[in-house]
Amino acid sequence: MSDSYSPITIEKSWQARWRESGVFATRQTPGKPRFFAYEYPPFPSGELHMGHVRNYTIGDTVTRYKRLQGYNVLYTQGFDSLGLPVEDAAIKVGKTPAQWLDECIEKMTDELFGLGLSYDAEKIFSYHDPEYYKWTQWIFLKLFEAGAIYRSKQWSDWCETCITALAFEQVEDGRCWRCKEQTTKTQQEQWYIDVHSVAPELLDGLETFDFPPSAKVLQRNWIGCLPGLFVEFPIEGSDTTIEVFTTKVSAIYGTTFIGLAPEHPDLPDLVTGTPDADKVLAALRDWCTTPLVERMKDPGAEGIFLDRYCTHPLTGERIPLCVAPYVQADLGTGAILGCPAHDTNAHRFAVTMGLPIKTVISPGVPETAGSDAVYLGEGHLVDSGCHSGLASSEAETAIAQDLIDREAARKGETYRVRDWCISRQRYWSAPIPIIHCDHCGPVAVPEADLPVLLPTEGVDMTRPGNPLEHHERFMATQCPACGRPARREASTLDTFVNSSWSYMRNCNPHYHDGMYDPDAVTYWVPCDFDIGGTENITVANFYFRVVLKWLDRLGLTPMSEPFKSSIFHGMVLKDGRKMSKSLGNVVRPTDLIAEYGVDSVRFQSMWAARPDSDYNWSDEKAAAARRFLTGVWYGVLDLVPVLGQTLPNMDGDPVMTNADKKFANALHVGSGKIQAGYERIEFQAVCNDLMLLWDKLKKYSDRVRAHATRRNIELLRRAVEQFLIMLNPIAPHLTEELWGRLGNPVMLAQSDHWRDRIGQDRTGQETVGQERVAHEH
RNA sequence: GCGGGCGUGAUGAAAUUGGUAGACAUACCGGACUUAAAAUCCGGAGGCCUAUGCCGUGCGGGUUCGAGUCCCGCCGCCCGCACCA
């Protein structure tokens, strides 16, 4: 091999050697700490983008560092090959998803390994493999049996363009997360995962793992626990009640109406028989189909008097029932206490509807008392029967107790989070394993009949709507309960259901006797480290947790949180803007690799910014990275003969000159800083410190060249080797090659050289995540 | 409105955790080598000033022998949630 630096030659050769030698095969050897790094799966578009390069280089760097530290590492990948994005991409090029995927996954796999990623190739799998989605369906059945999955005709978000239902979280500002078109709402049978019931665990669990503070807060707000009181209002002329939820019961004497969400399930009954029933129902329909964001734009919008009344549980007053469009069905009970004097929305609504406004909490300041303004603060109660005069904070507990004693109320909390709508009226995902029978209703597919295969032949994708519905061979079946002819459920699972348990499958994707290999999962999960973009870390992570909370409750998993530690990476920008085809500023990783070599691209990606901040792609910086690595290449090669010489052991050798001592110290301090940088996932600092150390190393090597002694050659050799070990996680190919040229027989990828030659990480058995938690407190 | 993050050169950013602010790098300027350019190497550089010096980590206070770092109060930017019962 020639001595000029040719990244492509070196990189291809080392990638092949790593693969052939199987150094990245997962090991569960006893007596070693473990490290499982999870990366959110790539959508198999067939071509990497800069975001992938950044994401996966971070993951790879971490795992290579951990291997060098003597950890058993699990690092592999699964392809997110089911779901709407794949189906749409295939339609665009006029292929079936299956045809399209074959090519793309192959190409994508090559590109991933081309980045030098140290994946365990044997463990790579795809979500559209029936061996995988069989178990996704199995999870569905388990949750269905337990009541965690239910079918409901409640109003759900709907995208006309994608022709499918959407989860609440997949609607962004009234628009579909995929096509960005305005969404609407429909009332069709859809499948839901009960998130409400596991909300307390989801909230508590947040405290147990290391998560970026912003993401933690986001999920906490998202779950949104509101403690309060459920109060029953008896309906006049009926033996039923309306239940409202309130967080401010101290204002209950100021109730002048009860506001019902247009979706409120009792409304049809309340309206039936009234003269305007048809008109009212039409109006309700109108509100129900409008996306929530639209409806909430004007909370003071006119509602409807129902001409029905309920009775105030404390005063016995007649309180009118109204439909208030600003009231949300999924929050609390979908019915609210209308206290216009002490609630902004109720006030606006009361003004529009001409309802009375009754002040019951007085701030005790004369000029504000009696004014028309809404008073939201504390004060003392007025006009509140036997509770008048109490401070509002005292009244909160006193009135609650009073109502509870009268059996008119119960304490509780409501969660802002919505149950997760998981059914999609689209073709390319795991079919929901349910059979609809005219006699038995929806019946679970027996476990033995799994997987319910997604047909890949005879699918007509040109017709609008769900192609599965028109696929007779798929649809026609028998009822597992009564044996009569029946129809399959044509909806498929939301893409996040597919990925929700992928990290368990990563441990052993070839396991046949269950959804996961229990030995492997007990050993590896929860994952020590998880890296993704912001959406992964917030949205996907949340869904993963929901599914796991249920599996844990059902005793199906040995853990209750998927990850010990998550971090997110920023975006890669070009000229300060997001890379996009429409702006024409897309930088293609394959071009960069051809120009600079993988190691330089990796180095530049890690060096450009700390992982969590955005950075601007810059050619100058890539060139600088290349220059640095080129310098290392020639620098180390030049030293090979120097380090290889054997000098006689001369008694006259000074023990250690000042220069030796100074350099030895610089090496020690530098290594410590570099190690700390790796531990804290601050790779930018690692790169800077590596460059600094290299500079010192080069200067010292000139000194050694001028006056070589056994001792300083020994020190220099140690320094060069340490330097290569420390640079290895970021620039693995170059360092392997140089390491070999120095005569080291055992590959860098093959052994725990770091622990051997430099020292153990300060945290010992602890993981990165735990260390970060420890720093926080 | 609520919550979270962040403010240091032209730029990405360092600062041994309270001890010489701006390491290292990019861009920039100058020099060397070249017929020339590129590459490479060497040197310069926070601001003000002729200079001794003075001022400098968003702004204003405070604690301290000493503050980018700790405390209080403002200002500005980014992100998330939202008329939440």
Side-chain angles (χ1 to χ4, degrees):
Chain A
M1 194 178 285
S2 105
D3 279 352
S4 63
Y5 180 43
S6 160
I8 293 175
T9 321
I10 294 172
E11 286 160 6
K12 288 282 163 261
S13 119
W14 279 101
Q15 283 162 16
R17 284 188 65 177
W18 290 328
R19 188 178 301 218
E20 284 153 19
S21 59
V23 277
F24 300 132
T26 312
R27 286 178 187 84
Q28 282 178 227
T29 39
K32 281 185 159 195
R34 66 121 218 250
F35 190 83
F36 176 11
Y38 181 83
E39 291 165 348
Y40 287 90
F43 166 67
S45 64
E47 190 175 32
L48 293 182
H49 54 67
M50 289 308 290
H52 289 130
V53 172
R54 194 171 185 200
N55 192 144
Y56 302 142
T57 305
I58 294 170
D60 189 58
T61 298
V62 172
T63 53
R64 282 180 182 271
Y65 169 72
K66 287 289 172 183
R67 280 196 204 88
L68 285 168
Q69 280 283 9
Y71 283 69
N72 282 334
V73 166
L74 172 56
Y75 181 52
T76 185
Q77 192 55 274
F79 285 105
D80 188 10
S81 55
L82 282 177
L84 217 125
V86 175
E87 187 173 336
D88 286 345
I91 289 171
K92 221 172 172 179
V93 294
K95 290 185 176 170
T96 69
Q99 296 164 338
W100 183 80
L101 276 171
D102 281 346
E103 279 172 43
C104 287
I105 288 182
E106 204 187 313
K107 240 188 107 194
M108 197 92 173
T109 309
D110 284 350
E111 292 201 2
L112 288 170
F113 280 107
L115 279 177
L117 302 185
S118 55
Y119 288 149
D120 179 348
E122 294 304 306
K123 284 187 161 42
I124 292 178
F125 68 99
S126 297
Y127 299 173
H128 74 294
D129 181 350
E131 268 300 304
Y132 178 76
Y133 73 69
K134 167 184 177 175
W135 297 107
T136 310
Q137 292 172 333
W138 185 83
I139 292 172
F140 180 99
L141 292 180
K142 289 293 153 194
L143 264 58
F144 177 61
E145 274 168 31
I149 288 182
Y150 63 92
R151 190 164 180 249
S152 159
K153 218 175 167 179
Q154 69 199 53
W155 289 92
S156 57
D157 293 293
W158 182 266
C159 176
E160 283 294 348
T161 319
C162 299
I163 326 178
T164 181
L166 297 170
F168 179 77
E169 287 76 12
Q170 288 166 341
V171 180
E172 298 158 351
D173 198 26
R175 291 172 180 277
C176 171
W177 71 305
R178 290 293 314 154
C179 65
K180 312 291 177 199
E181 291 297 323
Q182 201 96 44
T183 59
T184 168
K185 302 195 101 186
T186 59
Q187 198 177 21
Q188 300 177 18
E189 296 277 10
Q190 299 290 350
W191 293 89
Y192 293 86
I193 292 187
D194 176 2
V195 181
H196 265 92
S197 303
V198 287
E201 284 114 294
L202 287 168
L203 220 41
D204 293 346
L206 278 178
E207 306 310 319
T208 66
F209 62 100
D210 185 30
F211 213 39
S214 56
K216 221 172 216 185
V217 168
L218 194 97
Q219 280 202 19
R220 199 177 292 128
N221 291 343
W222 209 342
I223 299 163
C225 178
L226 302 165
L229 205 65
F230 292 89
V231 188
E232 308 263 359
F233 280 66
I235 298 171
E236 226 173 62
S238 152
D239 49 6
T240 56
T241 59
I242 284 280
E243 190 181 42
V244 302
F245 176 77
T246 177
T247 53
K248 197 177 177 183
V249 76
S250 53
I252 196 168
Y253 286 93
T255 308
T256 59
F257 69 98
I258 294 293
L260 302 176
E263 297 92 343
H264 197 284
D266 294 351
L267 274 173
D269 286 346
L270 288 167
V271 172
T272 314
T274 60
D276 286 337
D278 289 348
K279 246 174 82 184
V280 174
L281 289 173
L284 292 181
R285 227 192 139 67
D286 225 38
W287 281 315
C288 289
T289 50
T290 311
L292 203 59
V293 267
E294 287 302 314
R295 223 169 78 195
M296 298 308 277
K297 277 185 183 157
D298 180 16
E302 195 175 346
I304 296 174
F305 285 113
L306 286 176
D307 201 24
R308 299 286 303 254
Y309 293 84
C310 57
T311 314
H312 194 293
L314 293 174
T315 65
E317 284 170 286
R318 290 182 88 204
I319 310 278
L321 289 173
C322 301
V323 178
Y326 78 87
V327 179
Q328 301 183 21
D330 317 350
L331 224 54
T333 60
I336 56 130
L337 279 184
C339 302
H342 307 292
D343 177 281
T344 319
N345 283 343
H347 189 270
R348 288 169 176 157
F349 184 72
V351 169
T352 312
M353 301 292 286
L355 287 157
I357 296 166
K358 186 183 171 195
T359 299
V360 289
I361 298 173
S362 160
V365 183
E367 57 265 33
T368 33
S371 80
D372 278 354
V374 185
Y375 181 67
L376 301 170
E378 301 272 300
H380 59 269
L381 267 60
V382 293
D383 240 341
S384 297
C386 62
H387 294 102
S388 296
L390 282 177
S392 51
S393 54
E394 291 172 274
E396 206 59 52
T397 43
I399 297 176
Q401 198 51 54
D402 198 354
L403 287 165
I404 292 166
D405 291 345
R406 291 166 190 237
E407 296 191 348
R410 64 185 167 91
K411 274 194 173 154
E413 57 280 316
T414 196
Y415 291 92
R416 204 172 297 171
V417 71
R418 265 68 170 183
D419 283 352
W420 174 16
C421 176
I422 53 167
S423 44
R424 298 289 175 272
Q425 285 64 54
R426 291 297 292 256
Y427 160 49
W428 192 249
S429 187
I432 290 179
I434 291 286
I435 290 166
H436 296 283
C437 169
D438 286 344
H439 297 84
C440 310
V443 180
V445 170
E447 269 181 45
D449 294 350
L450 294 181
V452 176
L453 283 174
L454 185 65
T456 48
E457 302 290 325
V459 179
D460 179 6
M461 291 182 45
T462 56
R463 286 165 77 169
N466 183 351
L468 284 181
E469 273 179 26
H470 313 128
H471 195 285
E472 253 329 280
R473 283 223 322 279
F474 174 79
M475 290 299 287
T477 185
Q478 287 95 43
C479 171
C482 69
R484 289 189 177 92
R487 310 287 288 170
R488 283 195 190 279
E489 168 71 53
S491 300
T492 54
L493 289 168
D494 177 29
T495 174
F496 286 115
V497 181
N498 295 306
S499 50
S500 68
W501 66 287
S502 54
Y503 56 95
M504 296 185 227
R505 198 68 184 169
N506 281 332
C507 300
N508 180 1
H510 310 296
Y511 191 72
H512 296 295
D513 303 332
M515 64 182 277
Y516 60 79
D517 176 343
D519 289 343
V521 163
T522 308
Y523 184 83
W524 293 108
V525 182
C527 321
D528 300 277
F529 176 76
D530 153 55
I531 168 104
T534 23
E535 194 186 67
N536 296 325
I537 296 297
T538 51
V539 183
N541 175 285
F542 182 72
Y543 289 132
F544 283 27
R545 298 186 62 227
V546 169
V547 170
L548 183 56
K549 288 297 171 197
W550 273 112
L551 293 174
D552 180 41
R553 236 195 221 191
L554 301 176
L556 294 170
T557 55
M559 67 284 166
S560 61
E561 286 292 341
F563 307 122
K564 280 187 186 166
S565 153
S566 294
I567 67 163
F568 60 80
H569 63 83
M571 286 187 296
V572 185
L573 309 172
K574 179 73 199 285
D575 309 321
R577 309 180 71 173
K578 207 170 164 172
M579 288 187 196
S580 78
K581 279 184 195 135
S582 55
L583 285 171
N585 62 351
V586 177
V587 176
R588 295 174 63 227
T590 39
D591 297 344
L592 295 176
I593 290 168
E595 188 174 351
Y596 300 103
V598 171
D599 283 333
S600 294
V601 172
R602 287 172 63 117
F603 191 90
Q604 129 84 4
S605 294
M606 297 300 94
W607 182 38
R610 52 177 58 189
D612 58 347
S613 55
D614 295 346
Y615 80 86
N616 243 318
W617 171 261
S618 103
D619 290 313
E620 288 88 358
K621 203 132 195 186
R626 167 74 188 254
R627 213 174 303 143
F628 170 65
L629 294 183
T630 307
V632 171
W633 173 261
Y634 289 110
V636 173
L637 282 190
D638 277 358
L639 287 176
V640 170
V642 179
L643 298 175
Q645 60 187 316
T646 39
L647 291 181
N649 197 2
M650 301 204 309
D651 289 341
D653 274 5
V655 178
M656 234 188 182
T657 65
N658 276 341
D660 295 339
K661 280 182 188 161
K662 211 175 145 196
F663 177 68
N665 186 54
L667 177 63
H668 178 74
V669 171
S671 304
K673 283 179 85 173
I674 291 164
Q675 178 154 307
Y678 274 114
E679 288 294 323
R680 297 204 298 256
I681 324 287
E682 286 173 5
F683 300 135
Q684 188 189 38
V686 169
C687 292
N688 284 329
D689 290 330
L690 280 166
M691 292 170 97
L692 224 57
L693 181 61
W694 174 248
D695 194 50
K696 285 179 180 145
L697 199 155
K698 269 207 86 171
K699 286 190 176 126
Y700 181 69
S701 73
D702 291 342
R703 196 178 273 274
V704 173
R705 244 187 253 273
H707 180 73
T709 66
R710 263 174 82 101
R711 194 173 292 277
N712 66 19
I713 284 179
E714 207 172 274
L715 175 60
L716 183 62
R717 182 172 184 103
R718 189 156 60 87
V720 171
E721 292 186 345
Q722 282 196 18
F723 175 79
L724 290 177
I725 292 168
M726 293 190 294
L727 176 60
N728 174 258
I730 295 172
H733 311 86
L734 168 83
T735 47
E736 283 281 16
E737 180 68 25
L738 291 173
W739 179 259
R741 300 260 188 134
L742 284 171
N744 290 294
V746 181
M747 282 189 247
L748 282 170
Q750 206 166 4
S751 184
D752 49 354
H753 297 286
W754 191 308
R755 213 172 66 138
D756 234 32
R757 313 244 184 151
I758 306 172
Q760 204 169 348
D761 55 350
R762 285 166 298 129
T763 50
Q765 294 267 332
E766 279 181 3
T767 65
V768 177
Q770 284 166 337
E771 202 213 3
R772 284 161 54 107
V773 170
H775 277 289
E776 269 180 13
H777 298 301

